[in-house]
Structure formats: C-alpha cells, structure tokens
Amino acid sequence: MLLKPFSLEARSRMLFSMLQKVLKRNPSLHPSTKVWILKFVISCPRLESGSTVVVTGSNPQLGRWQAQDGLKLSYVGDSLWKAICVLRKSEFPVKYKYCQISQAGNSSLELGPNREVDIDLSSPKQSRYVVLSDGALRDAPWRGAGVAVPVFSIRSDEDLGVGEFLDLKLLVDWAVNSGFHLVQLLPINDTSVNGMWWDSYPYSSLSVFALHPLYLRVQALSDAIPADVKEEIQQAKKQLDKKDVDYEAALSTKLSIARKIFNLEKDKVLNSSSFKQFLSENEEWLKPYAAFCFLRDFFETSDHSQWGRFSQFSKEKLEKLISEGTLHHDVIRFHYYVQYHLYMQLSDAAAYARKKKVILKGDLPIGVDRNSVDTWVYPTLFRMNTATGAPPDYFDKNGQNWGFPTYNWEEMSKDNYGWWRARLTQMAKYFTAYRIDHILGFFRIWELPDHAATGLLGKFRPSIPLSQEEFLSEGLWDFNRMSRPYIRQEILEEKFRSFWTVIAANFLNEYQKQCYEFKEDCNTEKKIIAKIKTSPEKSLWLEKEDSIRRGLFDLLQNIVLIRDPEDSTKFYPRFNLEDTSSFRDLDEHSKNVLRRLYYDYYFARQENLWRQNALKTLPVLLNSSDMLACGEDLGLIPACVHPVMQELGLIGLRIQRMPSEPNTEFGIPSQYSYMTVCAPSCHDCSTLRAWWEEDEGRRSRFYKTVVGSDEEPPSRCTPEVVHFIVQQHFDAPSMWAIFPLQDLLALKDKYTSRPAPEETINDPTNPRHYWRFRVHVTLESLLDDKDIQATIKDLVTSSGRSFPGKKVEGADESGEKLSKVQLNGKA
C-alpha cells in the first residue's frame, strides 16, 4: 500500500467536498463526528470481460468478508478501478482484499495475505483522506488446459489409415471449441530403422531432424494428380481404414503414391524457389539423411557398420553419394521431396494453430536409435557399447532397456552442445512448447551394457562408484561371490523343478560341488535369448521358452554387485539387491554393510554430481529456443531434481496414480504446485477407464480416500466417475492440465463402447510393443458433437482456466499478451 501525499490546499478542498457528500448520504453522522475517507485504487490488467471488482473486508461497509455485500469499484480506464469509503476511527485498523465477480456471478478472492490500513490517532497531522494505491490485483496466475494425442492416433475423413499433419488443423478447431489452449503430440521424427512395424515406436529416431513420411498427406502433394492416382488414393483409403494403424501398409502405400507424383512433377518442385530455400536452410541434416536412406535400402540394413567403405561417414563420401549424374540421384532427390512436403504440411498446421491461439507441444526424445543418421554422422557423441534405459519403477519392476546408446557428454560439451542446440532450433520451427522426455537423463542416465536385454543390471552415469577399499575397510573381500551370479543346486531345483538337470547340462558348468556358472555362450541376456532359439537341443524346451528365459535371467541377475567393466576395482550395487537369494544367503554383517552402501550410492553420494551435470546441460536446451519447456520427471527421482527444475523454471509432470510424494498411493491434484502439468494418465500407462476397471481393490481405495465415499464404487468407469477425476485436474493449481483424448471422450457414454484396454497407447513392459492405437471416431464427427465440446468447455471455464477467445480487459486484439502469458506463466 502506498499513501499518496497531497498539497494542503488540495487536500482541504477535496476533503470538504467529500465530507459534504458523505454527510448527505449518511444523515446519522453528526458533522462533528471524526471520519476518514479511504480511496481504493487497484489495477486489474487481466480482468475477464464483463467482470466487476469489489473490496471486501472486516467491517460492515466492506461487507464483513461477504463478496456480494462488498464495496463495488468503478472502472476509470487504463485497467484502473476506484471506490471511496468513509470509516469512523473505531473501525480501524481495516483488513481487506479485492475480489473479482464474473458476469455469471462467480466470485474469486485475490490471493495472498489480507491487505491492511491503519491510522495514527495520536497524530494531529494525520490526514483524514487516504488514497490506497494497491498496485495490481493479486489474482491467480494464468492457467491453461490442453489435449494430448499422438498424430498417428488421429482419425479423419481424409487420412490414409493413420493421422496426418494436416489433420492437426481439425484437431486445433476441436481444441478451440472445447476451450483448450494446447495440443500435445508424441515425437514425429522419422523412425524407419527396421523397415517393419517395430518402427512404430516413436522414441527411436532414425533422424532427430527428419519428419516421418507416415504423416504425409499424399493428396496435398500436387494440384494436378492424375485420375488413376486419385483412384488409387481412394482405394487405399478404404483398405487402410482399420481399427488400428497398419504401420507397414500405411507407410509403403504413401511412399508408393508419393513416388508416382514425384516422377510427374519433380523438376517443377525441385526447381522452385520455395524448395531451394528449404534445401539451403536444412542441407546440414537433409543431405546426410537422404544418403543414409539410400544406403539403408541398398544394403538392406540400417546397421551402418555393415556398409563396407560407407561405414565411416565423411563429407567427401557424402558429396559423391548425393552428386548429380549418379544412377541413384533421383532416389536422393525423392527423400528431399518428401521432407520438403512434410515441412510444408506441418508448417501449415503450426501456423493455423498459432492463428487460433493454440500451442502445439512437441516431444524431445531422450535417445536416438543406435542405427541412425546421427550415430553415423556424429559417432563420437555416443557411447556405442552401452544402452539407455530406466531402473525398476512404476512402469516395470524389471527396469526398462530402450536400446539407445548413451551420450558422450564430454565430447558434446566441446562445441557447447551444438547437436542439442540444432535439435531445439529445428523443433521451434513448428512448436511453441515441448516435453523433455525422461528429464532425469540430463542429471544421470541408467546405463546398461549393450549385451543386456532387460533394464535391471545397470548403473547410473555419471556416478561415484563404490570402491574396493570401501568394502575392504568394512571386512568384505569376496568380490567374486558378490559380483558373479549366485547359482546353487537348490536354487535350480526350486526354479526349474525336475527340468533343472536339462538346464544345467545346456547352460551351466559346475565349477564346485553343487555350485554353477554360466557357459561362455550364454553368459549374457542376449546370448541366452539367442541360445534358447538356436540351440540344437531346443526341442527339449519347446513351448517352455518364455519360462526358461525368465528363469535363466533370474539366475544371471542373482548378484549384489556389478563390477565396472572399465575398472575392476569399482562396483555398483545391483538395484533392489535385497530381493536376491545372493543377498539373503550372506552373513548379517555383510548384509548391513551392503544396505548402508546401497543407500549411499542411490540416495546420497551422487546428489551434488547430478545437480552439477544438469546445470551444465539443461540451460543449453532452454536457451536454444523460446519454447516453453516441460520435463517428464516420473520414476525414481533424486532429491536434486525438483530444486534444479525450480531454479531453471522448468515445469514438471504430475500423474495422479504415480505420486511423487513417498508412501502415497494417489496424488492430490489440489496440492500440486503451480509449475506443473497435471494429467490423469499418459501414453505410457493405461487410460483412465482401463485403470479404473482393472483393479477392484485399488478402485475401492481411490473411492474412499480421494472421492471420500465409503460406498461400493461402480465397477465400470462411468462418465460421472470420469467427470469427477477430470474436474479435479481442471481445478488443480497446475499451470497446465493436459488430458489424453481417450480420457476426455470417456465423459460421454457414446464413446466408451470400445474395450478400455484397447485404448492404451504403450506398454512400457514390452520393448516390442506395437504403437498403433487409433481413435475410433473421426475428428469431423467430434466437431459435430456440440454436447461433448460444451461439457469440456464448461469444465475449463468453471475452473478459472484460460480458453481461446476469453476476453481480458487490457489485452490487445493481436493476442500478444496471451502468448506472453502462455510462455511465461504470468502476465
């Protein structure tokens, strides 16, 4: 509060005039009664159009904290609101707050502590006219909402069996009608590594710069498509209009049609000024990408180590490969052509979204495929003898192995992480916000040997290992016992029963009586997989392959320490080592020492190292573009992560069923912090409907603890249940509430006929999951359904979140203020 001084003459003149008015309005006041005149002045630059402002407070003139009885302010221009109040000396001090009242009559009290004004009754010079210039209304920070859906999952009347970039314009229209400011996508880069449906996995990039040809709309390639090609497109529409995405058929059909159109108009397009500008601005990645695609198809593998003299990339070899006059030059140019049209179509959709005040949010994958353009061109940036994954967590008790090589951060730092900066610059051409996939990887990554198939036997990189000296000082010296698979005859008998002798004979050597070790040809997870499939004795375990593989993996993983392959005197504690019989059979002293060192390794000694690592890399990403950055911070979260994210202004992710608070089964959305994105589910877990229906006990606990009911919950996830959970998230303090499209459609019975498990996008426990979910209704039909759009928009507006078209006092027509709010989370 600021008390503005006035000249004595001006103060006297105003005071006399106001007192005359006050006495006329309040005949009960005697002229000799000492009164004070308070003038309230508040700035409300983001007030919703049609709203009013009142002051409510501790005395009758201010309504005794009842907003509807408060003192109404008048708008005087330039976002300023003013009002005058007369108080007796007995009514001081005055506590008060400003309150917005919407056109619909909903009141919203400003945030923060009560404001207060007092007077010095003992001072003869105390002015009886006080101006309270209270600055800006302390309203809630800007909050928005969005919808999340992979491009491939979109269904429209125009697509060829899979969502396309130009479908995003329809999705933006639906988002605007539903009150959403944001559309979130999964990664959209080319993943064509294996030439089969495995490539449906969107996080395994063939190139971090190239867009996926799967999302091309072939009808938009030319205005002069011949009749026979048009007929082929119509036939393809019918054939590919399936319940799920047929990845291989959709991609091959699109590329086949695109080649026919390319052959008809290649010279016209490739000689256009627009294409030449595109090539000039993107040749750094586009030329190697086109050459890689040619070599991949020529050698029938993306494993560039199998490409003979082309295994090692060089600019000289590249220039020869892409030069004019070669027999395959049109093949190279075709890849240019497809990428050019993908760029044009996605740019068109992105421009449309910006025009509609809708943010497109992209996804930055943590890894690249080991057989990718990037590992071919920049091999020193990757540790090719390793794999990336995640330790056991909510998603998978055995951990995850994504197969990507880990990064050589030391090498990347030499040019200030130029490869990362280029990635972000490219993304910013299309997106206004992005999700950092597995942001924990910028603190530390779960690194696995390349011979691992699961994600269990890994270590964090970087990390401070346990030294041999630490163990010796505690009296632990038998490192072979702790770091080699602990296999005893009784373990084999328990695990394989009568079949144990067959297992021992084929996979193990007995090095001591009743003590076994793996044979050389099956002493890693990948070797085990290969031997089970190719062994001459495989007829012995037909129809038992899965159980035998799991059993052998359990044996291989039955260790308590992992020896560092580069320094045999360094060790890493095996994750969840207390679950192993190797640990249980140790003496109590050894167990206690290992427990203490395990906790030290995972929860204590690394924190400063990981903090410093993140502060080297993450600022480079954040400074590479103006995009709003959101970090996916799920899983095993080190203590340093959230303070660093807060320091850097990064937005975190909160999924209700995966609370970050310890010993909590369900998150409480009303307790989320502002700098978060909240969601009831995500692409890596079951949908809200499937989650509700798959576990009766969990459903009952949720109904009791979150809904607050002791009644039996409905076994089916009804629209009423969905509405309750979705509303919780809309009402949360989080800056963004973003909902998978499947969860939103569950608000209406009409869209719940499909079995809920079929709507799951990914199963993280299956490294060969087929990413093929398609929404079972078209965007055109969703746009025609005014009821569900109105239901969702009511949830947006009643929660106080912003929505496209919401008028804000003082905002100009260009929407620049809105953009600033969206990017910074504040006005």
Side-chain angles (χ1 to χ4, degrees), residues 488-502:
R488 300 294 182 264
Q489 184 171 317
E490 62 267 24
I491 297 174
L492 293 173
E493 291 174 349
E494 179 183 357
K495 188 170 290 293
F496 298 102
R497 308 222 176 252
S498 61
F499 204 67
W500 82 268
T501 55
V502 175

Side-chain angles (χ1 to χ4, degrees), residues 125-341:
K125 296 183 178 179
Q126 171 69 56
S127 172
R128 294 174 67 187
Y129 176 59
V130 180
V131 178
L132 303 173
S133 289
D134 280 322
L137 184 76
R138 297 192 306 245
D139 55 351
W142 187 94
R143 296 181 305 142
V147 57
V149 62
V151 176
F152 61 77
S153 297
I154 298 170
R155 187 186 294 267
S156 77
D157 292 341
E158 293 299 314
D159 71 55
L160 265 64
V162 65
E164 299 166 348
F165 286 147
L166 288 177
D167 290 326
L168 292 174
K169 297 167 80 170
L170 290 176
L171 183 60
V172 165
D173 287 339
W174 186 83
V176 170
N177 293 350
S178 302
F180 291 136
H181 265 309
L182 182 145
V183 168
Q184 178 171 317
L185 310 175
L186 291 187
I188 54 173
N189 294 111
D190 192 355
T191 57
S192 307
V193 175
N194 303 288
M196 58 180 296
W197 66 262
W198 288 0
D199 297 335
S200 66
Y201 179 33
Y203 287 89
S204 189
S205 306
L206 176 85
S207 165
V208 299
F209 300 101
L211 299 172
H212 206 311
L214 187 69
Y215 305 129
L216 184 70
R217 175 158 295 168
V218 293
Q219 304 96 302
L221 292 178
S222 173
D223 294 329
I225 298 177
D228 60 328
V229 178
K230 286 183 178 179
E231 178 59 27
E232 183 179 354
I233 292 171
Q234 292 305 312
Q235 291 301 316
K237 272 189 187 182
K238 296 175 184 177
Q239 294 168 2
L240 294 170
D241 187 20
K242 303 176 182 179
K243 182 180 76 172
D244 298 309
V245 176
D246 185 336
Y247 178 90
E248 294 174 28
L251 182 59
S252 63
T253 298
K254 289 190 175 197
L255 290 176
S256 173
I257 294 171
R259 283 191 184 93
K260 293 175 181 178
I261 301 173
F262 166 77
N263 288 332
L264 294 172
E265 62 167 33
K266 57 189 174 186
D267 292 330
K268 173 186 173 184
V269 173
L270 300 182
N271 288 318
S272 68
S273 58
S274 175
F275 172 80
K276 289 179 180 178
Q277 181 179 351
F278 167 76
L279 180 62
S280 173
E281 293 174 354
N282 296 275
E283 61 182 350
E284 188 72 18
W285 64 265
L286 182 59
K287 290 180 177 179
Y289 165 79
F292 185 99
C293 291
F294 164 71
L295 292 169
R296 173 200 61 197
D297 298 341
F298 181 82
F299 287 103
E300 298 183 336
T301 178
S302 291
D303 182 355
H304 39 80
S305 67
Q306 306 299 310
W307 289 354
R309 65 189 183 93
F310 294 108
S311 297
Q312 304 296 319
F313 173 84
S314 73
K315 290 189 175 180
E316 293 74 21
K317 294 175 187 174
L318 174 66
E319 290 304 320
K320 290 180 180 178
L321 277 169
I322 64 173
S323 61
E324 292 185 33
T326 59
L327 294 175
H328 61 264
H329 188 55
D330 261 6
V331 177
I332 298 292
R333 295 205 302 167
F334 175 67
H335 293 297
Y336 293 167
Y337 172 85
V338 169
Q339 287 300 311
Y340 167 68
H341 278 287

